[in-house]
Amino acid sequence: MSTFDITPDTAREGERAGAGDARWDPAQYAVFGDHRGRPFHDLLARVPSERPGRVVDLGCGPGELTLSLADRWPAAHVMGIDSSPEMLARARELDASGRVEWVEAAAESWDPTESGPIDVLVTNAVLQWVPTHLRLLPRWLETLSPAGVLAMQVPANFDAPSHRLMREVAARHPRADELQDGLDRADAVARPETYAALLLAHTRAVDVWQTTYLQLLTAAPDAPHPVLEWVRGTGLRPVLGVLTDETEREAFLATYERELEAAYPRRDGVVFFPFTRTFAVAQLPG
């Protein structure tokens, strides 16, 4: 008998993993804004550009971090690109003075040559959703201006309990075949050495590193587990896009949350959530 207490013919209206994840929710994504923003700032600290003319944030999300690029380079034309209309709507609300050009486009279909040479191209926590990005990176590099910079960051935690348990719970589900399609992001992210070799084929000015952040997440006794709340805004979206029936969805989440409680125990109101990320910065010759 399934631990989910559901029937196989549960209603299946709505988006599907592989055909369309659950919509991005800017409010849910912002719950851990400080933790999500820190890698962006660590990445930008290694970008040497002083007066770029054109700056692109590919996968800009709700826009707060993109606006910090406009703060750093106020004379630059800053463009924020995202495939989510919900995220872009939030970004435009934040950008009351219109300092950034917001564009709806998917990374796979975006044409980097449309708006002229790019001096700084930033892509932060996006490429794990783009399985073809190892083929796209050389093209993006080739469209940068002389001395242009590509700065990227991707999660490297797909073997952590947060994601491993998600896959295991999905594998035991009656609709496992539908759920698995959107959960194997590990294959989309390469090793640091792979990114370094790819970038070194275009320039010798390459910096690649990994950082593991020990994130301390607030965990009140009667509140949902904070790691569950974290992945609701990102990695769990493919599951939520399939399990559109509320009873079916809540059964999955309850099972998954029990696993998270064991893997990430609450300690005096805090959960320790280690999170490894891979960073790379490459600057073309001037």
Side-chain angles (χ1 to χ4, degrees), residues 243-280:
L243 303 181
T244 56
D245 175 81
E246 184 176 357
T247 300
E248 186 180 35
R249 176 182 290 197
E250 291 306 312
F252 181 98
L253 293 177
T255 302
Y256 177 46
E257 187 170 20
R258 286 195 295 271
E259 301 276 4
L260 292 175
E261 292 282 3
Y264 300 99
R266 304 177 196 232
R267 310 181 188 193
D268 297 324
V270 173
V271 162
F272 295 172
F273 184 35
F275 202 118
T276 302
R277 297 179 181 271
T278 299
F279 301 79

PDB file of all heavy atoms in Angstrom, residues 243-280:
ATOM      1  N   LEU A 243       1.680  17.621  -9.290  1.00  0.00           N
ATOM      2  CA  LEU A 243       0.700  17.291  -8.257  1.00  0.00           C
ATOM      3  C   LEU A 243      -0.206  18.489  -8.010  1.00  0.00           C
ATOM      4  O   LEU A 243      -0.117  19.182  -6.994  1.00  0.00           O
ATOM      5  CB  LEU A 243       1.422  16.871  -6.973  1.00  0.00           C
ATOM      6  CG  LEU A 243       2.396  15.704  -7.116  1.00  0.00           C
ATOM      7  CD1 LEU A 243       3.024  15.372  -5.770  1.00  0.00           C
ATOM      8  CD2 LEU A 243       1.703  14.487  -7.709  1.00  0.00           C
ATOM      9  N   THR A 244      -1.106  18.736  -8.928  1.00  0.00           N
ATOM     10  CA  THR A 244      -1.987  19.901  -8.834  1.00  0.00           C
ATOM     11  C   THR A 244      -3.212  19.645  -7.955  1.00  0.00           C
ATOM     12  O   THR A 244      -3.870  20.587  -7.540  1.00  0.00           O
ATOM     13  CB  THR A 244      -2.443  20.336 -10.238  1.00  0.00           C
ATOM     14  OG1 THR A 244      -3.068  19.229 -10.884  1.00  0.00           O
ATOM     15  CG2 THR A 244      -1.254  20.800 -11.066  1.00  0.00           C
ATOM     16  N   ASP A 245      -3.544  18.381  -7.686  1.00  0.00           N
ATOM     17  CA  ASP A 245      -4.629  18.064  -6.761  1.00  0.00           C
ATOM     18  C   ASP A 245      -4.132  18.302  -5.337  1.00  0.00           C
ATOM     19  O   ASP A 245      -3.086  17.802  -4.936  1.00  0.00           O
ATOM     20  CB  ASP A 245      -5.057  16.609  -6.929  1.00  0.00           C
ATOM     21  CG  ASP A 245      -6.093  16.197  -5.907  1.00  0.00           C
ATOM     22  OD1 ASP A 245      -7.278  16.505  -6.120  1.00  0.00           O
ATOM     23  OD2 ASP A 245      -5.703  15.584  -4.887  1.00  0.00           O
ATOM     24  N   GLU A 246      -4.856  19.061  -4.545  1.00  0.00           N
ATOM     25  CA  GLU A 246      -4.380  19.480  -3.226  1.00  0.00           C
ATOM     26  C   GLU A 246      -4.124  18.296  -2.299  1.00  0.00           C
ATOM     27  O   GLU A 246      -3.111  18.259  -1.582  1.00  0.00           O
ATOM     28  CB  GLU A 246      -5.393  20.432  -2.587  1.00  0.00           C
ATOM     29  CG  GLU A 246      -4.918  20.976  -1.247  1.00  0.00           C
ATOM     30  CD  GLU A 246      -5.877  21.996  -0.650  1.00  0.00           C
ATOM     31  OE1 GLU A 246      -6.881  22.319  -1.323  1.00  0.00           O
ATOM     32  OE2 GLU A 246      -5.625  22.455   0.479  1.00  0.00           O
ATOM     33  N   THR A 247      -5.019  17.313  -2.288  1.00  0.00           N
ATOM     34  CA  THR A 247      -4.838  16.161  -1.405  1.00  0.00           C
ATOM     35  C   THR A 247      -3.586  15.380  -1.792  1.00  0.00           C
ATOM     36  O   THR A 247      -2.784  14.982  -0.933  1.00  0.00           O
ATOM     37  CB  THR A 247      -6.073  15.241  -1.477  1.00  0.00           C
ATOM     38  OG1 THR A 247      -7.228  15.983  -1.065  1.00  0.00           O
ATOM     39  CG2 THR A 247      -5.893  14.027  -0.571  1.00  0.00           C
ATOM     40  N   GLU A 248      -3.407  15.168  -3.070  1.00  0.00           N
ATOM     41  CA  GLU A 248      -2.242  14.439  -3.557  1.00  0.00           C
ATOM     42  C   GLU A 248      -0.955  15.200  -3.233  1.00  0.00           C
ATOM     43  O   GLU A 248       0.045  14.621  -2.790  1.00  0.00           O
ATOM     44  CB  GLU A 248      -2.390  14.248  -5.067  1.00  0.00           C
ATOM     45  CG  GLU A 248      -1.325  13.386  -5.700  1.00  0.00           C
ATOM     46  CD  GLU A 248      -1.557  13.244  -7.200  1.00  0.00           C
ATOM     47  OE1 GLU A 248      -2.020  14.210  -7.841  1.00  0.00           O
ATOM     48  OE2 GLU A 248      -1.258  12.158  -7.707  1.00  0.00           O
ATOM     49  N   ARG A 249      -0.994  16.501  -3.442  1.00  0.00           N
ATOM     50  CA  ARG A 249       0.189  17.322  -3.177  1.00  0.00           C
ATOM     51  C   ARG A 249       0.555  17.307  -1.698  1.00  0.00           C
ATOM     52  O   ARG A 249       1.730  17.133  -1.335  1.00  0.00           O
ATOM     53  CB  ARG A 249      -0.070  18.754  -3.638  1.00  0.00           C
ATOM     54  CG  ARG A 249       1.054  19.715  -3.319  1.00  0.00           C
ATOM     55  CD  ARG A 249       0.728  21.138  -3.743  1.00  0.00           C
ATOM     56  NE  ARG A 249       0.716  21.275  -5.190  1.00  0.00           N
ATOM     57  CZ  ARG A 249       0.782  22.453  -5.809  1.00  0.00           C
ATOM     58  NH1 ARG A 249       0.870  23.568  -5.108  1.00  0.00           N
ATOM     59  NH2 ARG A 249       0.773  22.519  -7.119  1.00  0.00           N
ATOM     60  N   GLU A 250      -0.434  17.497  -0.829  1.00  0.00           N
ATOM     61  CA  GLU A 250      -0.157  17.552   0.606  1.00  0.00           C
ATOM     62  C   GLU A 250       0.354  16.213   1.127  1.00  0.00           C
ATOM     63  O   GLU A 250       1.172  16.169   2.043  1.00  0.00           O
ATOM     64  CB  GLU A 250      -1.416  17.991   1.370  1.00  0.00           C
ATOM     65  CG  GLU A 250      -1.795  19.442   1.122  1.00  0.00           C
ATOM     66  CD  GLU A 250      -0.642  20.399   1.394  1.00  0.00           C
ATOM     67  OE1 GLU A 250      -0.003  20.276   2.456  1.00  0.00           O
ATOM     68  OE2 GLU A 250      -0.383  21.279   0.538  1.00  0.00           O
ATOM     69  N   ALA A 251      -0.119  15.100   0.556  1.00  0.00           N
ATOM     70  CA  ALA A 251       0.387  13.784   0.960  1.00  0.00           C
ATOM     71  C   ALA A 251       1.868  13.653   0.613  1.00  0.00           C
ATOM     72  O   ALA A 251       2.671  13.146   1.404  1.00  0.00           O
ATOM     73  CB  ALA A 251      -0.423  12.691   0.265  1.00  0.00           C
ATOM     74  N   PHE A 252       2.249  14.096  -0.576  1.00  0.00           N
ATOM     75  CA  PHE A 252       3.663  14.062  -0.963  1.00  0.00           C
ATOM     76  C   PHE A 252       4.492  14.932  -0.017  1.00  0.00           C
ATOM     77  O   PHE A 252       5.541  14.508   0.484  1.00  0.00           O
ATOM     78  CB  PHE A 252       3.838  14.548  -2.404  1.00  0.00           C
ATOM     79  CG  PHE A 252       5.263  14.521  -2.885  1.00  0.00           C
ATOM     80  CD1 PHE A 252       5.731  13.459  -3.642  1.00  0.00           C
ATOM     81  CD2 PHE A 252       6.152  15.553  -2.567  1.00  0.00           C
ATOM     82  CE1 PHE A 252       7.059  13.426  -4.066  1.00  0.00           C
ATOM     83  CE2 PHE A 252       7.476  15.523  -2.978  1.00  0.00           C
ATOM     84  CZ  PHE A 252       7.922  14.455  -3.739  1.00  0.00           C
ATOM     85  N   LEU A 253       4.028  16.153   0.229  1.00  0.00           N
ATOM     86  CA  LEU A 253       4.797  17.070   1.058  1.00  0.00           C
ATOM     87  C   LEU A 253       4.945  16.551   2.486  1.00  0.00           C
ATOM     88  O   LEU A 253       6.007  16.708   3.104  1.00  0.00           O
ATOM     89  CB  LEU A 253       4.125  18.446   1.062  1.00  0.00           C
ATOM     90  CG  LEU A 253       4.139  19.198  -0.271  1.00  0.00           C
ATOM     91  CD1 LEU A 253       3.368  20.506  -0.141  1.00  0.00           C
ATOM     92  CD2 LEU A 253       5.563  19.457  -0.750  1.00  0.00           C
ATOM     93  N   ALA A 254       3.915  15.917   3.013  1.00  0.00           N
ATOM     94  CA  ALA A 254       3.995  15.379   4.373  1.00  0.00           C
ATOM     95  C   ALA A 254       5.044  14.273   4.460  1.00  0.00           C
ATOM     96  O   ALA A 254       5.828  14.206   5.422  1.00  0.00           O
ATOM     97  CB  ALA A 254       2.630  14.855   4.815  1.00  0.00           C
ATOM     98  N   THR A 255       5.071  13.403   3.472  1.00  0.00           N
ATOM     99  CA  THR A 255       6.062  12.326   3.457  1.00  0.00           C
ATOM    100  C   THR A 255       7.471  12.894   3.319  1.00  0.00           C
ATOM    101  O   THR A 255       8.401  12.498   4.037  1.00  0.00           O
ATOM    102  CB  THR A 255       5.774  11.358   2.296  1.00  0.00           C
ATOM    103  OG1 THR A 255       4.462  10.831   2.446  1.00  0.00           O
ATOM    104  CG2 THR A 255       6.775  10.214   2.267  1.00  0.00           C
ATOM    105  N   TYR A 256       7.639  13.818   2.415  1.00  0.00           N
ATOM    106  CA  TYR A 256       8.944  14.437   2.190  1.00  0.00           C
ATOM    107  C   TYR A 256       9.406  15.207   3.428  1.00  0.00           C
ATOM    108  O   TYR A 256      10.579  15.135   3.828  1.00  0.00           O
ATOM    109  CB  TYR A 256       8.845  15.352   0.969  1.00  0.00           C
ATOM    110  CG  TYR A 256      10.074  16.142   0.624  1.00  0.00           C
ATOM    111  CD1 TYR A 256      11.343  15.561   0.605  1.00  0.00           C
ATOM    112  CD2 TYR A 256       9.971  17.491   0.285  1.00  0.00           C
ATOM    113  CE1 TYR A 256      12.460  16.301   0.268  1.00  0.00           C
ATOM    114  CE2 TYR A 256      11.076  18.235  -0.062  1.00  0.00           C
ATOM    115  CZ  TYR A 256      12.330  17.643  -0.062  1.00  0.00           C
ATOM    116  OH  TYR A 256      13.437  18.379  -0.399  1.00  0.00           O
ATOM    117  N   GLU A 257       8.480  15.909   4.082  1.00  0.00           N
ATOM    118  CA  GLU A 257       8.860  16.689   5.260  1.00  0.00           C
ATOM    119  C   GLU A 257       9.319  15.790   6.398  1.00  0.00           C
ATOM    120  O   GLU A 257      10.256  16.142   7.133  1.00  0.00           O
ATOM    121  CB  GLU A 257       7.692  17.571   5.713  1.00  0.00           C
ATOM    122  CG  GLU A 257       8.069  18.522   6.831  1.00  0.00           C
ATOM    123  CD  GLU A 257       6.992  19.553   7.121  1.00  0.00           C
ATOM    124  OE1 GLU A 257       5.812  19.313   6.742  1.00  0.00           O
ATOM    125  OE2 GLU A 257       7.317  20.588   7.722  1.00  0.00           O
ATOM    126  N   ARG A 258       8.699  14.619   6.556  1.00  0.00           N
ATOM    127  CA  ARG A 258       9.166  13.695   7.591  1.00  0.00           C
ATOM    128  C   ARG A 258      10.609  13.275   7.333  1.00  0.00           C
ATOM    129  O   ARG A 258      11.416  13.152   8.266  1.00  0.00           O
ATOM    130  CB  ARG A 258       8.255  12.457   7.641  1.00  0.00           C
ATOM    131  CG  ARG A 258       6.899  12.706   8.278  1.00  0.00           C
ATOM    132  CD  ARG A 258       6.203  11.406   8.632  1.00  0.00           C
ATOM    133  NE  ARG A 258       5.872  10.613   7.460  1.00  0.00           N
ATOM    134  CZ  ARG A 258       4.745  10.717   6.777  1.00  0.00           C
ATOM    135  NH1 ARG A 258       3.833  11.614   7.146  1.00  0.00           N
ATOM    136  NH2 ARG A 258       4.506   9.954   5.731  1.00  0.00           N
ATOM    137  N   GLU A 259      10.954  13.057   6.093  1.00  0.00           N
ATOM    138  CA  GLU A 259      12.335  12.696   5.749  1.00  0.00           C
ATOM    139  C   GLU A 259      13.284  13.859   6.055  1.00  0.00           C
ATOM    140  O   GLU A 259      14.406  13.663   6.536  1.00  0.00           O
ATOM    141  CB  GLU A 259      12.410  12.327   4.268  1.00  0.00           C
ATOM    142  CG  GLU A 259      11.518  11.182   3.838  1.00  0.00           C
ATOM    143  CD  GLU A 259      12.150   9.820   4.090  1.00  0.00           C
ATOM    144  OE1 GLU A 259      13.253   9.779   4.672  1.00  0.00           O
ATOM    145  OE2 GLU A 259      11.534   8.812   3.701  1.00  0.00           O
ATOM    146  N   LEU A 260      12.849  15.074   5.750  1.00  0.00           N
ATOM    147  CA  LEU A 260      13.695  16.242   6.020  1.00  0.00           C
ATOM    148  C   LEU A 260      13.904  16.451   7.517  1.00  0.00           C
ATOM    149  O   LEU A 260      14.993  16.859   7.947  1.00  0.00           O
ATOM    150  CB  LEU A 260      13.066  17.495   5.409  1.00  0.00           C
ATOM    151  CG  LEU A 260      13.037  17.569   3.887  1.00  0.00           C
ATOM    152  CD1 LEU A 260      12.270  18.821   3.447  1.00  0.00           C
ATOM    153  CD2 LEU A 260      14.445  17.587   3.303  1.00  0.00           C
ATOM    154  N   GLU A 261      12.878  16.190   8.315  1.00  0.00           N
ATOM    155  CA  GLU A 261      13.016  16.352   9.769  1.00  0.00           C
ATOM    156  C   GLU A 261      14.120  15.456  10.315  1.00  0.00           C
ATOM    157  O   GLU A 261      14.863  15.849  11.224  1.00  0.00           O
ATOM    158  CB  GLU A 261      11.688  16.037  10.474  1.00  0.00           C
ATOM    159  CG  GLU A 261      10.565  17.017  10.207  1.00  0.00           C
ATOM    160  CD  GLU A 261      10.679  18.313  11.000  1.00  0.00           C
ATOM    161  OE1 GLU A 261      11.677  18.482  11.732  1.00  0.00           O
ATOM    162  OE2 GLU A 261       9.779  19.156  10.865  1.00  0.00           O
ATOM    163  N   ALA A 262      14.245  14.254   9.750  1.00  0.00           N
ATOM    164  CA  ALA A 262      15.298  13.344  10.204  1.00  0.00           C
ATOM    165  C   ALA A 262      16.673  13.758   9.680  1.00  0.00           C
ATOM    166  O   ALA A 262      17.682  13.648  10.388  1.00  0.00           O
ATOM    167  CB  ALA A 262      14.972  11.918   9.752  1.00  0.00           C
ATOM    168  N   ALA A 263      16.729  14.244   8.449  1.00  0.00           N
ATOM    169  CA  ALA A 263      18.014  14.601   7.839  1.00  0.00           C
ATOM    170  C   ALA A 263      18.552  15.928   8.346  1.00  0.00           C
ATOM    171  O   ALA A 263      19.772  16.117   8.450  1.00  0.00           O
ATOM    172  CB  ALA A 263      17.858  14.654   6.316  1.00  0.00           C
ATOM    173  N   TYR A 264      17.644  16.860   8.641  1.00  0.00           N
ATOM    174  CA  TYR A 264      18.033  18.196   9.105  1.00  0.00           C
ATOM    175  C   TYR A 264      17.272  18.498  10.400  1.00  0.00           C
ATOM    176  O   TYR A 264      16.277  19.226  10.397  1.00  0.00           O
ATOM    177  CB  TYR A 264      17.686  19.260   8.053  1.00  0.00           C
ATOM    178  CG  TYR A 264      18.356  19.068   6.716  1.00  0.00           C
ATOM    179  CD1 TYR A 264      17.669  18.480   5.648  1.00  0.00           C
ATOM    180  CD2 TYR A 264      19.666  19.493   6.484  1.00  0.00           C
ATOM    181  CE1 TYR A 264      18.259  18.318   4.402  1.00  0.00           C
ATOM    182  CE2 TYR A 264      20.279  19.340   5.240  1.00  0.00           C
ATOM    183  CZ  TYR A 264      19.559  18.745   4.210  1.00  0.00           C
ATOM    184  OH  TYR A 264      20.144  18.590   2.978  1.00  0.00           O
ATOM    185  N   PRO A 265      17.720  17.938  11.527  1.00  0.00           N
ATOM    186  CA  PRO A 265      16.976  18.114  12.782  1.00  0.00           C
ATOM    187  C   PRO A 265      16.987  19.570  13.257  1.00  0.00           C
ATOM    188  O   PRO A 265      17.925  20.322  13.007  1.00  0.00           O
ATOM    189  CB  PRO A 265      17.734  17.209  13.761  1.00  0.00           C
ATOM    190  CG  PRO A 265      19.105  17.072  13.176  1.00  0.00           C
ATOM    191  CD  PRO A 265      18.930  17.106  11.695  1.00  0.00           C
ATOM    192  N   ARG A 266      15.919  19.957  13.911  1.00  0.00           N
ATOM    193  CA  ARG A 266      15.823  21.297  14.499  1.00  0.00           C
ATOM    194  C   ARG A 266      16.645  21.338  15.780  1.00  0.00           C
ATOM    195  O   ARG A 266      16.510  20.472  16.640  1.00  0.00           O
ATOM    196  CB  ARG A 266      14.358  21.638  14.785  1.00  0.00           C
ATOM    197  CG  ARG A 266      13.460  21.534  13.558  1.00  0.00           C
ATOM    198  CD  ARG A 266      12.006  21.815  13.896  1.00  0.00           C
ATOM    199  NE  ARG A 266      11.129  21.358  12.825  1.00  0.00           N
ATOM    200  CZ  ARG A 266      10.201  22.123  12.244  1.00  0.00           C
ATOM    201  NH1 ARG A 266      10.025  23.366  12.625  1.00  0.00           N
ATOM    202  NH2 ARG A 266       9.446  21.633  11.283  1.00  0.00           N
ATOM    203  N   ARG A 267      17.476  22.365  15.926  1.00  0.00           N
ATOM    204  CA  ARG A 267      18.337  22.495  17.095  1.00  0.00           C
ATOM    205  C   ARG A 267      18.129  23.881  17.689  1.00  0.00           C
ATOM    206  O   ARG A 267      18.627  24.872  17.155  1.00  0.00           O
ATOM    207  CB  ARG A 267      19.808  22.335  16.705  1.00  0.00           C
ATOM    208  CG  ARG A 267      20.105  21.106  15.853  1.00  0.00           C
ATOM    209  CD  ARG A 267      21.583  21.018  15.553  1.00  0.00           C
ATOM    210  NE  ARG A 267      21.884  19.962  14.595  1.00  0.00           N
ATOM    211  CZ  ARG A 267      23.108  19.516  14.343  1.00  0.00           C
ATOM    212  NH1 ARG A 267      24.139  20.052  14.949  1.00  0.00           N
ATOM    213  NH2 ARG A 267      23.307  18.549  13.463  1.00  0.00           N
ATOM    214  N   ASP A 268      17.391  23.932  18.786  1.00  0.00           N
ATOM    215  CA  ASP A 268      17.152  25.211  19.465  1.00  0.00           C
ATOM    216  C   ASP A 268      16.646  26.270  18.492  1.00  0.00           C
ATOM    217  O   ASP A 268      17.126  27.414  18.479  1.00  0.00           O
ATOM    218  CB  ASP A 268      18.426  25.695  20.161  1.00  0.00           C
ATOM    219  CG  ASP A 268      18.876  24.750  21.264  1.00  0.00           C
ATOM    220  OD1 ASP A 268      17.992  24.186  21.941  1.00  0.00           O
ATOM    221  OD2 ASP A 268      20.095  24.568  21.421  1.00  0.00           O
ATOM    222  N   GLY A 269      15.689  25.902  17.672  1.00  0.00           N
ATOM    223  CA  GLY A 269      15.072  26.857  16.776  1.00  0.00           C
ATOM    224  C   GLY A 269      15.833  27.133  15.495  1.00  0.00           C
ATOM    225  O   GLY A 269      15.495  28.069  14.767  1.00  0.00           O
ATOM    226  N   VAL A 270      16.840  26.296  15.176  1.00  0.00           N
ATOM    227  CA  VAL A 270      17.656  26.503  13.984  1.00  0.00           C
ATOM    228  C   VAL A 270      17.871  25.170  13.282  1.00  0.00           C
ATOM    229  O   VAL A 270      17.986  24.122  13.926  1.00  0.00           O
ATOM    230  CB  VAL A 270      19.023  27.130  14.344  1.00  0.00           C
ATOM    231  CG1 VAL A 270      19.938  27.194  13.122  1.00  0.00           C
ATOM    232  CG2 VAL A 270      18.836  28.524  14.919  1.00  0.00           C
ATOM    233  N   VAL A 271      17.924  25.194  11.950  1.00  0.00           N
ATOM    234  CA  VAL A 271      18.318  24.038  11.152  1.00  0.00           C
ATOM    235  C   VAL A 271      19.594  24.398  10.405  1.00  0.00           C
ATOM    236  O   VAL A 271      19.697  25.472   9.803  1.00  0.00           O
ATOM    237  CB  VAL A 271      17.208  23.652  10.149  1.00  0.00           C
ATOM    238  CG1 VAL A 271      17.744  22.767   9.040  1.00  0.00           C
ATOM    239  CG2 VAL A 271      16.072  22.935  10.873  1.00  0.00           C
ATOM    240  N   PHE A 272      20.588  23.502  10.466  1.00  0.00           N
ATOM    241  CA  PHE A 272      21.812  23.683   9.700  1.00  0.00           C
ATOM    242  C   PHE A 272      21.577  23.138   8.293  1.00  0.00           C
ATOM    243  O   PHE A 272      21.247  21.962   8.118  1.00  0.00           O
ATOM    244  CB  PHE A 272      22.979  22.926  10.334  1.00  0.00           C
ATOM    245  CG  PHE A 272      23.391  23.427  11.689  1.00  0.00           C
ATOM    246  CD1 PHE A 272      24.323  22.730  12.439  1.00  0.00           C
ATOM    247  CD2 PHE A 272      22.851  24.584  12.230  1.00  0.00           C
ATOM    248  CE1 PHE A 272      24.720  23.171  13.686  1.00  0.00           C
ATOM    249  CE2 PHE A 272      23.239  25.036  13.476  1.00  0.00           C
ATOM    250  CZ  PHE A 272      24.167  24.333  14.215  1.00  0.00           C
ATOM    251  N   PHE A 273      21.782  23.989   7.294  1.00  0.00           N
ATOM    252  CA  PHE A 273      21.519  23.604   5.908  1.00  0.00           C
ATOM    253  C   PHE A 273      22.750  23.929   5.055  1.00  0.00           C
ATOM    254  O   PHE A 273      22.835  25.005   4.460  1.00  0.00           O
ATOM    255  CB  PHE A 273      20.287  24.354   5.393  1.00  0.00           C
ATOM    256  CG  PHE A 273      19.838  23.971   4.001  1.00  0.00           C
ATOM    257  CD1 PHE A 273      19.952  22.668   3.526  1.00  0.00           C
ATOM    258  CD2 PHE A 273      19.276  24.926   3.160  1.00  0.00           C
ATOM    259  CE1 PHE A 273      19.532  22.323   2.246  1.00  0.00           C
ATOM    260  CE2 PHE A 273      18.844  24.603   1.879  1.00  0.00           C
ATOM    261  CZ  PHE A 273      18.978  23.288   1.425  1.00  0.00           C
ATOM    262  N   PRO A 274      23.722  22.992   4.990  1.00  0.00           N
ATOM    263  CA  PRO A 274      24.900  23.243   4.141  1.00  0.00           C
ATOM    264  C   PRO A 274      24.488  23.306   2.675  1.00  0.00           C
ATOM    265  O   PRO A 274      23.659  22.515   2.212  1.00  0.00           O
ATOM    266  CB  PRO A 274      25.801  22.026   4.414  1.00  0.00           C
ATOM    267  CG  PRO A 274      25.259  21.397   5.650  1.00  0.00           C
ATOM    268  CD  PRO A 274      23.798  21.696   5.674  1.00  0.00           C
ATOM    269  N   PHE A 275      25.092  24.233   1.949  1.00  0.00           N
ATOM    270  CA  PHE A 275      24.714  24.441   0.542  1.00  0.00           C
ATOM    271  C   PHE A 275      25.980  24.791  -0.241  1.00  0.00           C
ATOM    272  O   PHE A 275      26.577  25.840  -0.014  1.00  0.00           O
ATOM    273  CB  PHE A 275      23.694  25.569   0.427  1.00  0.00           C
ATOM    274  CG  PHE A 275      22.866  25.542  -0.832  1.00  0.00           C
ATOM    275  CD1 PHE A 275      21.491  25.381  -0.762  1.00  0.00           C
ATOM    276  CD2 PHE A 275      23.448  25.672  -2.082  1.00  0.00           C
ATOM    277  CE1 PHE A 275      20.706  25.368  -1.909  1.00  0.00           C
ATOM    278  CE2 PHE A 275      22.677  25.657  -3.234  1.00  0.00           C
ATOM    279  CZ  PHE A 275      21.306  25.503  -3.152  1.00  0.00           C
ATOM    280  N   THR A 276      26.371  23.901  -1.153  1.00  0.00           N
ATOM    281  CA  THR A 276      27.572  24.118  -1.966  1.00  0.00           C
ATOM    282  C   THR A 276      27.202  24.726  -3.306  1.00  0.00           C
ATOM    283  O   THR A 276      26.216  24.317  -3.935  1.00  0.00           O
ATOM    284  CB  THR A 276      28.317  22.798  -2.188  1.00  0.00           C
ATOM    285  OG1 THR A 276      28.662  22.237  -0.918  1.00  0.00           O
ATOM    286  CG2 THR A 276      29.598  23.009  -3.000  1.00  0.00           C
ATOM    287  N   ARG A 277      27.990  25.689  -3.757  1.00  0.00           N
ATOM    288  CA  ARG A 277      27.775  26.349  -5.040  1.00  0.00           C
ATOM    289  C   ARG A 277      29.088  26.430  -5.814  1.00  0.00           C
ATOM    290  O   ARG A 277      30.162  26.550  -5.225  1.00  0.00           O
ATOM    291  CB  ARG A 277      27.189  27.749  -4.843  1.00  0.00           C
ATOM    292  CG  ARG A 277      25.812  27.737  -4.178  1.00  0.00           C
ATOM    293  CD  ARG A 277      25.269  29.144  -3.962  1.00  0.00           C
ATOM    294  NE  ARG A 277      23.959  29.141  -3.313  1.00  0.00           N
ATOM    295  CZ  ARG A 277      22.795  29.086  -3.953  1.00  0.00           C
ATOM    296  NH1 ARG A 277      22.773  29.022  -5.278  1.00  0.00           N
ATOM    297  NH2 ARG A 277      21.647  29.098  -3.296  1.00  0.00           N
ATOM    298  N   THR A 278      28.969  26.364  -7.137  1.00  0.00           N
ATOM    299  CA  THR A 278      30.119  26.490  -8.037  1.00  0.00           C
ATOM    300  C   THR A 278      30.065  27.845  -8.725  1.00  0.00           C
ATOM    301  O   THR A 278      29.016  28.245  -9.244  1.00  0.00           O
ATOM    302  CB  THR A 278      30.109  25.377  -9.092  1.00  0.00           C
ATOM    303  OG1 THR A 278      30.201  24.104  -8.435  1.00  0.00           O
ATOM    304  CG2 THR A 278      31.279  25.533 -10.057  1.00  0.00           C
ATOM    305  N   PHE A 279      31.199  28.527  -8.747  1.00  0.00           N
ATOM    306  CA  PHE A 279      31.316  29.857  -9.333  1.00  0.00           C
ATOM    307  C   PHE A 279      32.359  29.838 -10.444  1.00  0.00           C
ATOM    308  O   PHE A 279      33.342  29.095 -10.371  1.00  0.00           O
ATOM    309  CB  PHE A 279      31.785  30.878  -8.288  1.00  0.00           C
ATOM    310  CG  PHE A 279      30.895  31.032  -7.090  1.00  0.00           C
ATOM    311  CD1 PHE A 279      30.928  30.099  -6.060  1.00  0.00           C
ATOM    312  CD2 PHE A 279      30.050  32.121  -6.965  1.00  0.00           C
ATOM    313  CE1 PHE A 279      30.124  30.245  -4.927  1.00  0.00           C
ATOM    314  CE2 PHE A 279      29.241  32.276  -5.855  1.00  0.00           C
ATOM    315  CZ  PHE A 279      29.283  31.353  -4.835  1.00  0.00           C
ATOM    316  N   ALA A 280      32.165  30.690 -11.449  1.00  0.00           N
ATOM    317  CA  ALA A 280      33.175  30.853 -12.498  1.00  0.00           C
ATOM    318  C   ALA A 280      33.089  32.271 -13.055  1.00  0.00           C
ATOM    319  O   ALA A 280      31.984  32.788 -13.293  1.00  0.00           O
ATOM    320  CB  ALA A 280      32.961  29.837 -13.618  1.00  0.00           C
TER     321      ALA A 280
END
